[in-house]
Amino acid sequence: MTYLTHDVPVASGLMRVGEWRPDEVDAPVILALHGMTSTHHVWSMLAEQLPDVRIIAPDLRGRGLSNDLTGPYGVAQHTSDARAVMRALGITRATVLGHSLGAFVAVELLARDAAESSTGAAGGGVFERGVLVDGGLPVTVPLNHSEADLLEAVLGAGARGFTLSFADRAMNRKFWSLHPALSAAWSPALAAYADTHVTEYLTAEGAIELQLAVSPHALAADSRELFGSTAARAALDRVRVPLTVLTAGRGLLNESPGVYTPREIDGWKLELPHVRFVELPTVNHYTTVLGEQGVAALAHALQRTLLSS
C-alpha cells in the first residue's frame, strides 16, 4: 500500500487530501471523513487494517492542512468540498465513512447523491453504502446551553485544547496522552497522530509554538449544526443505500453513557428499521477510530459491508 497526498481545488483554495492506495487497481474505494477537530491522519490505523481498500480522506475545511480555507463552514459546505474531491480524483463508485462531524457530512452526501440519482442528474449514484461512526444521528442538548457550553458538549476537553499553545511536540503529546478518552489507549500510533494534530505558528515575540490545526470559526459554525438538527434528520430519510451505524458505549471524556444513550439508540432503531446498528460498549467516541479495539471493530464492520450486495 502507498500513502499519497493531493491538493484538490475547492471553493476559496486547495484542500489537502490523503490517500492510502493498494496495489490492486480495482480495489474498493472508501471516502473517509474525519471528526470535528481531527485530520485525515486519523484513518491511518484503519488503513493498516484494510490493506486491500483504497481510502481517500480529506482534511475538512478549517482543519489540518486545509486549515487556511475560509468559510462558509457547515455540513452543506463540507459536502460540496467532498464532492469536489471525488470529481477531482475521478471516483465514480465508493462507500462513504464518517466519524462524528464527518458522519453528518456523510449523511448529507448520501442524501444529495440519492436525489441526483433519482432525477438522472450527472454525477448521481456514486455511493453504494454508508458507514457512520458515533455521529450522523441528531443529538439532543439542553435548550439553555450557551454557545460556549455547546462547543464543550461537542468536543469535551478538546474545546479547551484548541486555545492552548505547546512549546514543542513532546508537550503536545503529553497533553493528549493525559486526555481521559485517550490515556488508556495511548500508543506509538496515537503519538504519531498527535503530531499531525498541530501546526507551527509565530508568536508576537518571534517564538515558534504549536497550536491545534483547526480554525475556531470552523468549530463554532460546525458545532451548531450537530444538535437537534431538523436538516440532519430530514437527510437521513432521503438516504437510499444500505447504512450501518456504529455507536460507542462511552463518550468524549470516556464517560458513560456515550454520545447516544441506550434509550436514544433504541429509539433510532425503531425510527430507522432499515439501518444496521452495531454497538461498541467498551470503546469511547475517540477510540472508535484511534484505539486498537475500536479500529478492529470498525474494520470488521467495513469488510462486512463491502462484501454485501
Side-chain angles (χ1 to χ4, degrees):
M1 175 174 285
T2 303
Y3 169 70
L4 308 166
T5 60
H6 311 276
D7 289 316
V8 173
V10 294
S12 76
L14 296 175
M15 175 161 284
R16 174 56 58 93
V17 179
E19 177 183 352
W20 290 267
R21 183 185 296 176
D23 296 333
E24 176 60 47
V25 175
D26 296 322
V29 177
I30 292 175
L31 174 68
L33 306 171
H34 64 71
M36 184 71 73
T37 65
S38 194
T39 72
H40 77 269
H41 292 281
V42 75
W43 303 113
S44 61
M45 290 176 244
L46 179 66
E48 292 180 4
Q49 296 281 326
L50 299 174
D52 298 323
V53 176
R54 183 182 178 190
I55 297 178
I56 294 168
D59 282 349
L60 296 181
R61 181 174 296 264
R63 282 84 173 172
L65 291 180
S66 304
N67 189 34
D68 58 351
L69 288 174
T70 58
Y73 304 103
V75 169
Q77 183 60 55
H78 294 311
T79 300
S80 296
D81 291 339
R83 286 158 61 90
V85 168
M86 297 288 281
R87 290 192 298 269
L89 298 183
I91 306 301
T92 58
R93 299 296 287 172
T95 293
V96 62
L97 163 66
H99 172 240
S100 190
L101 168 64
F104 288 86
V105 180
V107 170
E108 182 61 26
L109 266 174
L110 293 172
R112 284 200 206 178
D113 193 58
E116 292 186 356
S117 180
S118 66
T119 61
V126 172
F127 295 104
E128 300 173 286
R129 60 188 69 82
V131 177
L132 313 179
V133 183
D134 226 31
L137 309 175
V139 183
T140 56
V141 68
L143 294 176
N144 61 352
H145 264 39
S146 67
E147 183 161 307
D149 292 334
L150 184 59
L151 195 58
E152 184 84 2
V154 172
L155 301 178
R160 296 182 296 277
F162 82 86
T163 64
L164 295 179
S165 299
F166 303 101
D168 53 37
R169 295 191 182 277
M171 290 300 296
N172 171 61
R173 288 184 176 194
K174 185 67 173 178
F175 175 83
W176 293 108
S177 72
L178 295 174
H179 190 293
L182 300 176
S183 57
W186 196 250
S187 66
L190 254 174
Y193 168 68
D195 285 347
T196 72
H197 220 263
V198 290
T199 186
E200 294 181 343
Y201 77 102
L202 192 65
T203 69
E205 294 75 27
I208 295 177
E209 291 187 346
L210 301 173
Q211 257 189 9
L212 196 64
V214 57
S215 161
H217 303 294
L219 290 183
D222 291 342
S223 64
R224 285 193 294 268
E225 295 197 19
L226 305 195
F227 284 91
S229 172
T230 56
R233 181 65 188 87
L236 279 166
D237 287 334
R238 299 198 304 273
V239 173
R240 294 292 179 265
V241 296
L243 197 61
T244 299
V245 177
L246 285 76
T247 57
R250 308 187 72 84
L252 285 81
L253 297 177
N254 202 38
E255 79 282 10
S256 183
V259 172
Y260 300 103
T261 67
R263 182 176 180 179
E264 286 175 314
I265 294 170
D266 288 343
W268 283 116
K269 287 178 179 178
L270 292 174
E271 282 198 51
L272 305 170
H274 56 287
V275 173
R276 175 174 172 254
F277 283 83
V278 179
E279 296 175 56
L280 306 175
T282 61
V283 302
N284 64 53
H285 181 75
Y286 292 113
T287 56
T288 52
V289 291
L290 287 169
E292 182 177 339
Q293 183 182 3
V295 172
L298 175 56
H300 177 76
L302 283 164
Q303 287 169 330
R304 176 173 173 176
T305 58
L306 289 172
L307 290 172
S308 64
S309 58

